[in-house]
Amino acid sequence: MTASPHWPITTTLARDLHHFRSPRDLRASFTMKPGDSPRARCELLEMAESSTANAEPLEWPKKDKRRLLHVVYRVGDLDRSIKFYTECFGMKLLRKRDVPEEKYSNAFLGYGPEESHCVMELTYNYGVSSYDIGTGFGNFAITTQDVYKMVEDIKAKGGTVTREPGPVRGGTTVIAFVNDPDGYVFELIQISATPKPLCHVMLKVGDLERAIKFYEKALGMKLFRKGEKPDDKYTLAIMGYPGENETNVLELTYNYDVTEYTKGNAYAQLAIGTDDVYKSGEVVKLVIEELGGEITRQPGPLPGINTKITSFLDPDGWKTVSLCFMNFKPLYSWE
């Protein structure tokens, strides 16, 4: 706010904003000082109280215990996808269900129990055999101890290899790219054994700094690292939760001078666990007011079951669903 000559805001007055813990503390600390105008002080107090009220909910992500639960996307033939993922990628079918009243089936696949691993949720909608992946979805990534062998196995089973195994440009890490039967791109990365081979989900964004700020503030993620690739004209950011800096991360990619992408109708959303979906929803609402996005479902229980969720779009239109850990109990046993 710019003070008028008739209502000056002194340096002392502005400095008061940095010495409060709550609106009540702030108001109690505001005493008139020489040079302060009553009107300017009231205006600044209103602004500060509003800022304080917003600051308290924004602390919640720092206290919340969060992790990536699963990534959801649509496929044209569920049994075909299950066969490909189990035989080519070595995943295990965790559970499968059919929901005829809503005309869809889904399957959860991964490398470990859902209570501790991020997994893939594949959805088949009755009668829909293909989808538009769009230009914004990037890829999934899987780690393996031998990329060459995995690629040979995929070829033997009729899979499509779009980049043969070999070191990354300017480095030594061996990678390859393959497509699943629906055209989703999977990056295969050769590293030593890891208990969580599902490595990352990569999405393209039009403003990387805005996206980083959104996922830090709205979802409590940490920026693990950024990588500038001027020769390839892109920058990437690796984000996730503490303890997951090598696997189960979100990779955001900004391609130089590209600010918009098509979303298609194939990729659906990320699901993230939270201890309190209502507090998490309040944080998301405040961040959306600042950075953009949209609430698509207010916090609350799903009809007929006790699972509490909220869902929203980030500033680039990518969807996230937050689920309450307390009510999220997958119906399967890991063997």
Side-chain angles (χ1 to χ4, degrees):
M1 183 178 74
T2 302
S4 70
H6 301 290
W7 304 103
I9 297 178
T10 66
T11 302
T12 302
L13 174 59
R15 192 166 56 241
D16 283 344
L17 298 181
H18 302 287
H19 299 285
F20 60 83
R21 290 172 293 181
S22 69
R24 178 180 295 178
D25 293 339
L26 176 63
R27 184 171 289 278
S29 71
F30 262 56
T31 56
M32 294 296 292
K33 297 179 178 64
D36 289 348
S37 76
R39 177 177 171 181
R41 195 169 185 82
C42 287
E43 289 176 352
L44 193 57
L45 178 58
E46 290 175 359
M47 293 170 59
E49 287 185 325
S50 175
S51 176
T52 308
N54 290 347
E56 290 178 351
L58 289 173
E59 291 298 307
W60 167 245
K62 300 176 184 178
K63 306 171 185 177
D64 195 12
K65 297 181 179 66
R66 301 186 180 194
R67 69 174 180 87
L68 298 181
L69 296 177
H70 50 258
V71 56
V72 186
Y73 52 105
R74 304 173 181 96
V75 299
D77 184 327
L78 190 57
D79 290 332
R80 178 187 65 184
S81 294
I82 291 171
K83 180 179 175 65
F84 186 87
Y85 284 41
T86 54
E87 293 183 358
C88 295
F89 294 148
M91 293 186 188
K92 182 172 181 177
L93 176 62
L94 304 175
R95 56 188 171 113
K96 183 180 178 183
R97 63 177 181 173
D98 187 40
V99 188
E101 62 273 18
E102 297 184 29
K103 298 183 179 181
Y104 78 89
S105 303
N106 62 7
F108 292 75
L109 297 101
Y111 295 101
E114 290 178 63
E115 289 88 350
S116 57
H117 288 65
C118 181
V119 304
M120 319 291 267
E121 179 183 339
L122 312 183
T123 298
Y124 167 70
N125 292 297
Y126 291 6
V128 183
S129 59
S130 64
Y131 293 92
D132 173 20
I133 293 178
T135 61
F137 175 78
N139 61 62
F140 301 113
I142 294 173
T143 62
T144 177
Q145 296 183 69
D146 192 337
V147 167
Y148 295 95
K149 183 179 185 305
M150 180 174 279
V151 167
E152 287 305 313
D153 291 343
I154 290 171
K155 285 181 177 179
K157 294 177 173 63
T160 302
V161 178
T162 58
R163 184 203 190 272
E164 292 291 338
V168 297
R169 184 165 63 178
T172 59
T173 302
V174 175
I175 67 168
F177 284 92
V178 302
N179 288 357
D180 79 353
D182 290 276
Y184 291 101
V185 178
F186 279 77
E187 180 181 4
L188 310 179
I189 305 172
Q190 184 164 299
I191 65 172
S192 57
T194 172
K196 296 182 178 180
L198 179 57
C199 183
H200 71 238
V201 179
M202 192 270 269
L203 303 174
K204 300 170 188 174
V205 298
D207 184 330
L208 187 60
E209 295 307 316
R210 180 185 64 184
I212 291 171
K213 191 174 182 181
F214 183 90
Y215 283 93
E216 285 179 332
K217 297 184 71 173
L219 290 167
M221 289 189 180
K222 179 180 178 181
L223 175 63
F224 292 128
R225 60 187 181 277
K226 286 177 67 177
E228 187 75 34
K229 307 291 183 180
D231 292 341
D232 297 316
K233 297 184 178 180
Y234 74 88
T235 307
L236 59 83
I238 304 298
M239 305 192 70
Y241 294 106
E244 302 286 354
N245 61 319
E246 294 299 330
T247 59
N248 297 352
V249 297
L250 176 64
E251 179 178 319
L252 303 175
T253 297
Y254 167 70
N255 292 298
Y256 292 3
D257 301 322
V258 182
T259 58
E260 293 184 1
Y261 296 92
T262 60
K263 299 297 182 296
N265 60 358
Y267 174 83
Q269 64 209 27
L270 280 175
I272 295 176
T274 175
D275 285 334
D276 191 319
V277 73
Y278 297 99
K279 290 182 180 179
S280 295
E282 181 62 25
V283 173
V284 170
K285 178 182 176 182
L286 292 172
V287 177
I288 284 176
E289 290 174 356
E290 175 190 356
L291 299 174
E294 179 185 353
I295 301 290
T296 56
R297 182 186 182 87
Q298 295 294 334
L302 289 169
I305 59 178
N306 198 34
T307 301
K308 298 180 179 65
I309 74 166
T310 184
S311 63
F312 51 90
L313 305 180
D314 74 3
D316 289 279
W318 296 115
K319 186 178 180 180
T320 297
V321 174
S322 290
L323 296 86
C324 184
F325 277 128
M326 185 179 297
N327 310 117
F328 179 65
K329 297 180 180 179
L331 302 176
Y332 80 99
S333 61
W334 176 260
E335 298 177 354

